[in-house]
Amino acid sequence: MSVVIAGAGMHPWGKWGRNFVEYGVHAARAALADAGVAWGDVDLVVGGETVRNGYAGYVAGSTFAQALGWNGARIATSYAACATGAQAIDTARARILAGLSEVALVVGADTTPKGFLAPNAGERWSDPDWLRFRLLGMTNPAYFALYARRRMDLYGATSEDFAQVKVKNARHGLANPNARFRKEVDVAEVLASPVVSDPLHLLDICATSDGAAAVVLTSAEYARRHGIATPVTVAAVSTVTPTFPNTVIDMPLLATDSTAATGAPERTFKEAIGAAAYDEAGVDPSDVDVAEVYDLSTALELDWIEDLGLCKPGEAEALLRAGDTAIGGRIPVNPSGGLACFGEAVPAQAIAQVCELTWQLQGRVDGRQVEGARVGITANQGLFGHGSSVLLTR
Amino acid sequence: MTAPSQTVTPVVEGWFTTGEEPRLLASRCTRCRNVVFPPVSAEAGAASFFCRNPACDGVECEAVELSRRGTVWSYTDAQYQPPAPYVPMSDPFVPFALAAVELPEGLVVLGQVAAGYGVADLRVGAEVELVVETLNVDETGERTIYRWKPVAA
């Protein structure tokens, strides 16, 4: 028994000024058309929740189901911050594996305000996401900058290395019709952009965007019966939480757990996210042909490459400098262009990563194909301990 | 500017002591002695405590002081004004630095860096100590916050 991705679709990302439902329905229809599956065949809809769109956002599953025309499908809505999309896929996959569903549509869509992401309004003195702004002025980029600075002081990473990640991803995204930013950038431009949180420049940090992504998941049996030509298998979905003690400072928290009572853990949270995916899929990091990772900052992409075991800690800069993470290299990372080219649309992004890998593994990508890719992994992480990694094979 | 008669209060109660040698306050499990920062709120009461060490089923904690000195895990700054509920000290906004500091109790605590210090004064592994400074001034008077101050080598 396995679950496959029969089709994938997106709404182009950008600042379009329209309602998130419109984006989601566009992506859903594109995914259904890509799969050649009729909406009437869908027996489960899972929506990725957005918290910035009022009532309808909180009930994303039914919002999309209604907009597509009620068809009597089962319904679910998922929220896991940046990991929302992976958790939505996990829900759909689990129901299919349990024999409770044959054809599931997973949709994530959002509109995101310009500038820093901020916590919900109101005075909430017991909410860590509110407190980090109120007490410390600790924005998302400030967390990314802590990780970036640590790479510099520990591993000798440079601002030029970080800029090279942006240069690579910008080049990857040039041919991607769904990417918002399609323009070459050079190292000098990144370094000339204003510093937001030292050492990260504006062009080291991903923008916010409107965007949507959707996938159609089916049982392998359904895919066979309906002649779906190149289904991609969902070999694993990792949604793990951290293991105590969580020792790397994690957004939006103000402190880590203490190691005093138990000693340091065997692996960090981010390492555990990938490890759980590899374990479930029975795949080794050396088998991976292509990865889509959460480049919320350029430096964070380097962290993820190591956390996914694609190289040893402290070696990601060497991999980058050798061109190994570019298309044509040993292990291309973010062939879609990543968040550097898309920007962040929270409930859609983890699904968008899966869309890209689906097309990569089907060998259907124009202008940015990773030749012969058969194993792909995504990585991302949601606020408050939500792991996210999806491993696809064909 | 702050009138001398104005009250000076920590912006959040029960997180740190004040005075010459301020310290952070943590909740310590009476069973496994795991420490947690920020501490369990005094309002919630000790009875609301559940030890976060999954191998421990402790439900009682005590308030303990953490070490005043630690080493920098990493650091950065805010060169743009953070969004609300951050309350800027001044208009126009003046950038400030932030540090994640590893304490001998085995945890890393985020904080702002003391006024007058920036990223150039910091290094991963460098020693810092806790100070208490003004975060902002509101209708209740001066609100204070703990901060990390580089210790001269």
Side-chain angles (χ1 to χ4, degrees):
Chain A
M1 181 65 172
S2 63
V3 172
V4 303
I5 298 183
M10 287 192 207
H11 185 288
W13 294 41
K15 290 279 188 187
W16 305 106
R18 296 204 292 274
N19 190 289
F20 80 101
V21 183
E22 227 179 284
Y23 305 139
V25 169
H26 178 103
R29 288 203 167 121
L32 288 165
D34 190 48
V37 166
W39 163 234
D41 265 16
V42 172
D43 60 25
L44 171 67
V45 178
V46 188
E49 179 183 292
T50 162
V51 294
R52 275 179 293 279
N53 287 283
Y55 194 69
Y58 287 95
V59 291
S62 68
T63 299
F64 297 131
Q66 184 192 31
L68 286 157
W70 296 123
N71 75 346
R74 301 295 174 100
I75 194 104
T77 294
S78 167
Y79 182 72
C82 287
T84 292
Q87 195 158 296
I89 288 171
D90 188 56
T91 298
R93 175 171 175 255
R95 281 190 75 92
I96 294 171
L97 286 174
L100 296 169
S101 169
E102 257 201 323
V103 183
L105 173 68
V106 180
V107 191
D110 208 357
T111 62
T112 311
K114 198 173 151 56
F116 289 118
L117 293 178
N120 282 344
E123 277 209 14
R124 295 193 314 287
W125 290 91
S126 58
D127 172 2
D129 195 38
W130 188 88
L131 283 170
R132 61 153 163 149
F133 284 93
R134 177 67 184 87
L135 303 183
L136 305 182
M138 191 77 197
T139 60
N140 293 13
Y143 283 88
F144 312 150
L146 291 177
Y147 308 142
R149 172 53 68 178
R150 202 165 153 83
R151 289 200 74 85
M152 293 176 117
D153 283 12
L154 290 189
Y155 301 143
T158 64
S159 290
E160 287 76 10
D161 289 328
F162 300 157
Q164 284 292 0
V165 174
K166 173 75 174 185
V167 170
K168 167 185 73 73
N169 288 350
R171 198 168 292 146
H172 284 175
L174 280 177
N176 191 338
N178 292 310
R180 174 180 173 193
F181 303 104
R182 270 172 284 165
K183 186 174 165 285
E184 288 227 49
V185 176
D186 61 28
V187 167
E189 279 175 81
V190 179
L191 299 183
S193 66
V195 173
V196 175
S197 276
D198 180 277
L200 297 178
H201 298 77
L202 192 60
L203 290 180
D204 283 303
I205 297 166
C206 80
T208 54
S209 272
D210 296 355
V215 286
V216 177
L217 267 60
T218 75
S219 65
E221 207 277 315
Y222 176 97
R224 248 189 322 272
R225 224 166 52 229
H226 286 77
I228 289 165
T230 45
V232 166
T233 300
V234 184
V237 183
S238 166
T239 58
V240 293
T241 64
T243 303
F244 181 88
N246 190 12
T247 53
V248 178
I249 186 74
D250 226 352
M251 197 164 78
L253 302 178
L254 301 185
T256 65
D257 295 327
S258 165
T259 56
T262 55
E266 198 182 320
R267 40 167 87 109
T268 65
F269 176 34
K270 283 169 70 195
E271 287 168 343
I273 292 170
Y278 291 128
D279 283 353
E280 188 174 307
V283 161
D284 190 82
S286 62
D287 299 326
V288 173
D289 300 310
V290 55
E292 280 280 315
V293 307
Y294 237 43
D295 56 326
L296 287 163
S297 84
T298 50
L300 200 67
E301 175 171 310
L302 301 169
D303 286 349
W304 274 121
I305 288 168
E306 294 167 6
D307 293 329
L308 287 177
L310 303 176
C311 69
K312 293 198 181 79
E315 292 183 355
E317 282 81 7
L319 212 63
L320 170 79
R321 289 170 196 155
D324 282 338
T325 59
I327 294 168
R330 177 167 81 68
I331 170 68
V333 177
N334 287 328
S336 70
L339 292 179
C341 295
F342 274 74
E344 199 177 8
V346 173
Q349 185 61 38
I351 302 172
Q353 292 180 317
V354 172
C355 290
E356 174 69 13
L357 290 190
T358 300
W359 295 323
Q360 287 285 350
L361 266 52
Q362 290 172 332
R364 295 166 54 201
V365 181
D366 257 351
R368 59 178 199 284
Q369 178 68 46
V370 176
E371 291 305 327
R374 301 189 68 82
V375 177
I377 191 166
T378 74
N380 117 33
Q381 178 192 347
L383 230 59
F384 298 110
H386 290 107
S388 164
S389 175
V390 180
L391 201 150
L392 303 178
T393 58
R394 69 159 297 213
Chain B
M1 290 294 100
T2 317
S5 61
Q6 268 186 306
T7 340
V8 177
T9 5
V11 64
V12 54
E13 200 189 323
W15 284 27
F16 54 90
T17 63
T18 55
E20 278 293 289
E21 297 204 327
R23 286 166 183 271
L24 294 177
L25 292 167
S27 297
R28 184 171 65 190
C29 174
T30 56
R31 184 162 296 187
C32 76
R33 302 178 76 75
N34 179 52
V35 294
V36 174
F37 182 87
V40 173
S41 129
E43 243 169 70
S48 69
F49 181 81
F50 302 98
C51 185
R52 291 196 204 144
N53 173 3
C56 175
D57 57 6
V59 288
E60 278 174 30
C61 70
E62 55 204 352
V64 292
E65 292 185 347
L66 297 177
S67 305
R68 281 199 69 215
R69 286 193 174 189
T71 54
V72 173
W73 185 85
S74 195
Y75 54 98
T76 181
D77 59 13
Q79 300 207 10
Y80 286 78
Q81 183 175 317
Y86 175 75
V87 182
M89 270 284 275
S90 59
D91 184 15
F93 167 75
V94 176
F96 59 91
L98 293 148
V101 174
E102 197 163 7
L103 296 175
E105 288 80 8
L107 73 169
V108 173
V109 179
L110 273 181
Q112 294 181 336
V113 173
Y117 295 91
V119 292
D121 304 305
L122 298 160
R123 206 80 207 144
V124 169
E127 196 174 23
V128 291
E129 71 176 5
L130 197 84
V131 293
V132 169
E133 294 182 346
T134 304
L135 178 66
N136 66 291
V137 178
D138 63 18
E139 63 287 350
T140 67
E142 196 178 325
R143 307 307 300 258
T144 57
I145 187 70
Y146 68 90
R147 284 184 175 152
W148 299 114
K149 182 180 168 183
V151 174

